Amino acid sequence: MAGIITITTDFGLSDGYVAAMKGAILDINPEVNVVDICHNIKPQNISQAAFVLSTAYLFFPKKTIHLVVVDPGVGTERQAIILRTPLADFVAPDNGVLSYVIEHFTGQPVTDDSDVRQTKVRPEVEAVVLTEPRFWRTPVSPTFHGRDIFAPVAAFLSLGFPPINFGKAITSVTMLPLPRPHQALDGSVLGHVLHIDGFGNLITDIRGDDLPETAGPLNIEIGRHAISGLSRTYAEGKGLLALIGSSGYLEISLKGGSAHAFLEVEVGGEIRVKKVPGRSQE
Amino acid sequence: MAGIITITTDFGLSDGYVAAMKGAILDINPEVNVVDICHNIKPQNISQAAFVLSTAYLFFPKKTIHLVVVDPGVGTERQAIILRTPLADFVAPDNGVLSYVIEHFTGQPVTDDSDVRQTKVRPEVEAVVLTEPRFWRTPVSPTFHGRDIFAPVAAFLSLGFPPINFGKAITSVTMLPLPRPHQALDGSVLGHVLHIDGFGNLITDIRGDDLPETAGPLNIEIGRHAISGLSRTYAEGKGLLALIGSSGYLEISLKGGSAHAFLEVEVGGEIRVKKVPGRSQE
Amino acid sequence: MAGIITITTDFGLSDGYVAAMKGAILDINPEVNVVDICHNIKPQNISQAAFVLSTAYLFFPKKTIHLVVVDPGVGTERQAIILRTPLADFVAPDNGVLSYVIEHFTGQPVTDDSDVRQTKVRPEVEAVVLTEPRFWRTPVSPTFHGRDIFAPVAAFLSLGFPPINFGKAITSVTMLPLPRPHQALDGSVLGHVLHIDGFGNLITDIRGDDLPETAGPLNIEIGRHAISGLSRTYAEGKGLLALIGSSGYLEISLKGGSAHAFLEVEVGGEIRVKKVPGRSQE
């Protein structure tokens, strides 16, 4: 039976771990198309995995199964889940790695509480905790649920078994506090760097519609630098530039170089977007 | 509909960008086989991408579609093209990334002019500039044509749409000045390092039939070192060796090590191949 | 004809070499599913490739073909072989890269002789040396048998040609000396680091059933550190921990960090597992 399973892990590309998962999948469904999203997530970096997944899953065909194994709690009592959404299925530890997915499909108000918390899933999303060992490889290694639980579950799911066969329905799942920009009293918007991509672009949590409303240009401050106005492409002007990137977030880029290396700003670093003073009077 | 689409980019392996392209392709043609050529092209390094592509595309089945997205001008007026050759189709920005392909199929005399220039395509090659937005994702992100234009065009091409459906025929395309060796008055050949591979081998622009004609052995000078004679395999002798590599170019290799690290010669570095003096009298 | 071919190489991910092999395979069998095991094997590191392969191949479906090209002797008189085992086929240079496979299927007594040696294959394993050029690409590059010999042979094998068609039956193959732990007079077990994974976990040659027999806890010494007792998961306790990993070997891990970076122990480094003194009297 055809179908697509994507894989996102922090396993890197120097071991046999990802291939062991692919083998375990193909052993159950040899016709499924296995596609890598990313295996270079920093070890155990759940929020990076959540973000990278969020930039890719929307573009896959309906009913794609996204397998995400960034799992610092492997072998402990953290739960493993299936999330069936109107677009796609997800198989992952319930540790927040699906936070952007959950936000997207539940429309939950975002938050910047510093605590991880449980969020109710909406009726159109089916959440199931994996409790049925008959879908697992045996024996299950306590250190590699990716190979022995997640991969076979994704493979059987691709064969058409309904999620509820794999365990018990649950009504709430774990959500990371997703960083969100603040609006200051002067109307400027204060955000944070969410992700640094392979080009050294700094991708922030400020979306296009979070930008201050103004007819005039904007001033963007990051590190010790200021950028005047938004660009449309990476090729405009020279030096630092700011633009709305392909996932809808404000990005800082350095033409012909790495904004990350130049600015020395890391994930979590602050960025401020201001209206240019006086312009509103024009 | 089956078929093969290869992808070459400078997106690296730490983001969701390549996967977003794969998702966009599979969303249109879920049966196509997507194969990575390379995603570790240095950011915006068009000539490196052109070279790496040239070492791989010839080995794929006829009618394979090669998608190349190394695109510093994304979102600007640079054109996006389809090139249909007797062997394979190519979908790429018209920025020179297909220079070796064009050279191969047009047999254009090579040049070492330092200017990028337009080259006429031969009748057996069909070139089309992409102007038909009905084959694109909407909205098109000005910063990610790979996902929103190139990937869907390649996918529709794999479904059998003729190239001309995607836009307008053009008669010339952009060509990088491909480095080529010179012959000196004394008959020695002066070339350059084209590419440094993952083993640290220095691959030069000197092809087997560029070598000086001589019954005797050759002397190869690179950096401050000289290598006497050509080897047949990487396993011969010890230390530095020179051989004709698997893509037909003269390569410098260090047995059990990296010639690149040892010689500290970079892409563009010079290499000289001389006849051994006196030997021709023998 | 469907089927699976996996590839393991030391070619890295920055060149077109792996893709050239995939192209050569798909040119012969366009329906085969090509799956990467690992391409980041250190250049010419046969024992690392042998180990990484051993952690992945067991999980693939029966009749999978595993292609392994870590081949310092390419172009020399080293032989190229097919190994048909009851589980899977292997296509590789006969340089020891299949040592764990051979050990698994022949049950040969392991050894820590320092010499590479020939090992008889058991009757249930068919070994063939590749001598039939009609299955190869022509001309064969003396530096890239992966593309010109191994890939096409694996592809034709996936089409159902019997191994003996590709050459001549042989009765012994090359085996690396696989490191194995010793038992000391005091009952403690002395082992070595086999592999360091992408998380910095140190994977040793001590298997679960090599551990000293004792009702009490164990003491594990590595570098200048000692670890008391075995953990079940990476998430237990803090600091250094020891556990039996997903491939059955004793591993040393650092919670939230890299044991490799912390301990500065390399592949080949020693590890000792002792019974805790006095505990046997309890």
Side-chain angles (χ1 to χ4, degrees):
Chain A
M1 192 165 172
I4 299 169
I5 296 175
T6 78
I7 314 186
T8 303
T9 75
D10 58 354
F11 294 166
L13 296 168
S14 300
D15 292 294
Y17 300 144
V18 172
M21 286 178 62
K22 291 180 182 176
I25 289 169
L26 294 168
D27 196 32
I28 292 164
N29 183 358
E31 288 174 44
V32 77
N33 187 358
V34 182
V35 179
D36 298 307
I37 288 188
C38 184
H39 301 295
N40 286 337
I41 301 299
K42 281 179 201 142
Q44 315 196 334
N45 193 325
I46 296 169
S47 58
Q48 186 193 6
F51 181 80
V52 168
L53 176 68
S54 81
T55 64
Y57 79 88
L58 286 169
F59 304 98
F60 281 83
K62 255 191 134 171
K63 295 186 188 296
T64 294
I65 297 166
H66 300 284
L67 181 49
V68 191
V69 187
V70 176
D71 192 11
V74 58
T76 67
E77 72 275 27
R78 71 93 188 85
Q79 295 190 315
I81 55 172
I82 295 171
L83 220 63
R84 168 155 288 179
T85 74
L87 176 63
D89 291 348
F90 299 84
V91 182
D94 183 27
N95 62 11
V97 80
L98 301 180
S99 293
Y100 288 94
V101 173
I102 296 162
E103 184 193 8
H104 183 88
F105 286 103
T106 65
Q108 291 292 331
V110 285
T111 163
D112 54 1
D113 289 356
S114 56
D115 288 339
V116 172
R117 59 174 197 171
Q118 293 298 108
T119 296
K120 284 252 176 291
V121 289
R122 289 247 181 123
E124 65 268 32
V125 172
E126 181 181 0
V128 169
V129 58
L130 305 181
T131 56
E132 287 291 339
R134 67 194 158 106
F135 294 104
W136 309 348
R137 289 183 65 88
T138 47
V140 170
S141 162
T143 64
F144 198 179
H145 288 189
R147 181 189 70 195
D148 295 340
I149 297 180
F150 293 110
V153 163
F156 282 115
L157 204 55
S158 75
L159 288 174
F161 289 84
I164 194 64
N165 285 23
F166 296 85
K168 297 192 183 103
I170 52 174
T171 56
S172 67
V173 292
T174 302
M175 188 92 175
L176 293 179
L178 300 179
R180 288 289 294 147
H182 295 265
Q183 186 153 25
L185 285 178
D186 66 352
S188 69
V189 171
L190 228 87
H192 317 84
V193 174
L194 270 188
H195 180 74
I196 298 164
D197 76 10
F199 293 97
N201 297 321
L202 306 174
I203 300 168
T204 75
D205 58 358
I206 302 175
R207 297 195 143 269
D209 48 18
D210 295 325
L211 291 172
E213 283 179 41
T214 170
L218 297 168
N219 209 51
I220 295 116
E221 297 171 5
I222 184 160
R224 295 171 185 178
H225 291 262
I227 300 163
S228 182
L230 289 186
S231 300
R232 209 179 59 88
T233 75
Y234 296 122
E236 283 164 35
K238 24 182 176 170
L240 284 174
L241 55 90
L243 49 69
I244 300 297
S246 60
S247 294
Y249 299 98
L250 183 68
E251 277 180 41
I252 307 303
S253 186
L254 178 67
K255 198 174 169 185
S258 160
H260 176 221
F262 178 72
L263 290 170
E264 297 181 343
V265 171
E266 301 298 329
V267 168
E270 292 202 348
I271 180 168
R272 180 186 290 266
V273 184
K274 284 176 162 169
K275 301 184 212 188
V276 174
R279 273 299 178 110
S280 54
Q281 278 86 359
E282 284 183 354
Chain B
M1 191 162 173
I4 300 169
I5 296 175
T6 78
I7 314 186
T8 303
T9 75
D10 58 353
F11 295 167
L13 295 168
S14 300
D15 291 294
Y17 300 143
V18 173
M21 287 179 61
K22 291 181 182 177
I25 289 169
L26 294 169
D27 197 31
I28 291 164
N29 183 359
E31 287 174 45
V32 77
N33 187 358
V34 183
V35 179
D36 299 307
I37 288 188
C38 184
H39 301 294
N40 286 337
I41 302 299
K42 281 178 202 142
Q44 315 195 335
N45 193 325
I46 296 169
S47 59
Q48 187 193 5
F51 181 80
V52 168
L53 176 67
S54 81
T55 64
Y57 79 89
L58 287 169
F59 305 97
F60 281 84
K62 257 192 134 169
K63 294 185 187 297
T64 294
I65 298 166
H66 300 284
L67 179 51
V68 190
V69 187
V70 176
D71 193 11
V74 59
T76 67
E77 73 277 25
R78 72 92 188 85
Q79 295 189 315
I81 56 172
I82 295 172
L83 219 64
R84 168 156 289 180
T85 73
L87 176 64
D89 291 349
F90 299 84
V91 182
D94 183 26
N95 60 12
V97 80
L98 301 180
S99 294
Y100 288 93
V101 173
I102 296 162
E103 185 195 8
H104 182 88
F105 286 104
T106 66
Q108 290 291 333
V110 286
T111 163
D112 56 1
D113 289 356
S114 56
D115 287 339
V116 172
R117 58 174 198 172
Q118 292 299 108
T119 296
K120 285 250 177 292
V121 290
R122 289 247 180 120
E124 65 269 32
V125 172
E126 181 180 2
V128 169
V129 59
L130 305 181
T131 57
E132 288 291 338
R134 67 195 157 105
F135 293 103
W136 308 349
R137 290 184 64 89
T138 48
V140 170
S141 162
T143 63
F144 197 0
H145 287 189
R147 181 190 69 196
D148 295 340
I149 296 180
F150 293 108
V153 163
F156 282 116
L157 202 55
S158 76
L159 288 174
F161 289 85
I164 195 64
N165 284 25
F166 296 87
K168 298 191 183 104
I170 52 175
T171 55
S172 69
V173 292
T174 301
M175 188 91 175
L176 294 179
L178 300 180
R180 288 289 295 148
H182 295 267
Q183 186 153 26
L185 285 178
D186 65 353
S188 68
V189 172
L190 227 86
H192 317 84
V193 175
L194 271 188
H195 179 73
I196 297 165
D197 77 9
F199 293 95
N201 297 322
L202 306 174
I203 300 168
T204 75
D205 57 359
I206 303 175
R207 297 194 142 270
D209 48 17
D210 296 324
L211 291 174
E213 283 179 43
T214 170
L218 298 168
N219 208 50
I220 295 117
E221 296 172 2
I222 184 158
R224 296 173 185 175
H225 292 262
I227 300 164
S228 181
L230 290 186
S231 300
R232 208 179 59 89
T233 74
Y234 296 122
E236 283 164 36
K238 24 183 179 171
L240 284 173
L241 55 91
L243 49 69
I244 300 297
S246 59
S247 294
Y249 298 98
L250 183 68
E251 278 181 41
I252 306 303
S253 186
L254 179 66
K255 195 173 171 186
S258 161
H260 176 222
F262 178 73
L263 290 170
E264 295 181 344
V265 172
E266 301 298 328
V267 167
E270 293 201 349
I271 179 168
R272 180 186 290 268
V273 183
K274 285 177 163 169
K275 301 184 212 186
V276 174
R279 273 300 176 110
S280 53
Q281 280 86 358
E282 285 184 355
Chain C
M1 193 164 172
I4 300 168
I5 295 175
T6 79
I7 313 186
T8 303
T9 75
D10 57 354
F11 295 166
L13 296 168
S14 299
D15 292 293
Y17 300 144
V18 173
M21 286 178 63
K22 291 180 182 177
I25 289 169
L26 294 168
D27 197 30
I28 292 164
N29 183 359
E31 289 174 43
V32 77
N33 186 359
V34 183
V35 179
D36 299 307
I37 288 187
C38 184
H39 301 295
N40 286 337
I41 301 299
K42 281 180 202 141
Q44 316 194 335
N45 193 325
I46 296 169
S47 58
Q48 187 192 6
F51 181 79
V52 167
L53 176 68
S54 80
T55 64
Y57 78 89
L58 286 169
F59 304 98
F60 280 83
K62 255 189 136 169
K63 294 185 189 295
T64 294
I65 296 165
H66 300 284
L67 181 49
V68 190
V69 187
V70 177
D71 193 11
V74 60
T76 67
E77 72 276 25
R78 71 92 188 88
Q79 295 190 315
I81 55 172
I82 296 172
L83 219 64
R84 169 155 286 178
T85 73
L87 177 63
D89 290 349
F90 298 83
V91 182
D94 183 27
N95 62 10
V97 81
L98 301 180
S99 293
Y100 288 94
V101 173
I102 296 163
E103 184 194 8
H104 183 87
F105 286 105
T106 65
Q108 290 292 332
V110 286
T111 163
D112 55 2
D113 289 356
S114 56
D115 288 339
V116 172
R117 57 173 199 172
Q118 293 299 108
T119 296
K120 284 249 178 295
V121 289
R122 289 244 182 126
E124 65 268 32
V125 173
E126 181 180 0
V128 169
V129 59
L130 305 181
T131 56
E132 286 292 338
R134 67 194 159 105
F135 294 103
W136 309 348
R137 291 183 64 88
T138 48
V140 170
S141 161
T143 64
F144 197 178
H145 287 188
R147 181 190 70 195
D148 296 339
I149 298 180
F150 294 108
V153 163
F156 282 115
L157 204 55
S158 76
L159 288 174
F161 289 85
I164 194 65
N165 285 24
F166 296 86
K168 297 193 183 103
I170 50 174
T171 55
S172 68
V173 292
T174 301
M175 188 92 175
L176 293 179
L178 301 178
R180 289 289 295 147
H182 295 266
Q183 187 153 25
L185 285 179
D186 65 354
S188 68
V189 172
L190 227 88
H192 317 85
V193 175
L194 270 188
H195 180 73
I196 297 165
D197 77 10
F199 293 96
N201 297 321
L202 306 174
I203 300 169
T204 75
D205 58 359
I206 302 175
R207 298 194 142 269
D209 48 17
D210 295 324
L211 291 173
E213 282 180 43
T214 171
L218 297 167
N219 208 53
I220 295 117
E221 296 172 4
I222 185 160
R224 295 172 184 177
H225 291 262
I227 300 163
S228 181
L230 289 185
S231 299
R232 208 178 61 88
T233 76
Y234 296 122
E236 284 164 35
K238 26 182 179 172
L240 284 174
L241 56 90
L243 50 68
I244 300 297
S246 59
S247 294
Y249 298 98
L250 183 69
E251 278 181 41
I252 306 302
S253 186
L254 179 67
K255 198 175 170 184
S258 160
H260 176 221
F262 178 72
L263 290 170
E264 297 181 343
V265 171
E266 301 299 327
V267 167
E270 292 202 350
I271 180 169
R272 181 186 288 268
V273 183
K274 285 175 162 170
K275 301 184 211 187
V276 174
R279 272 301 176 112
S280 55
Q281 280 85 1
E282 283 183 355

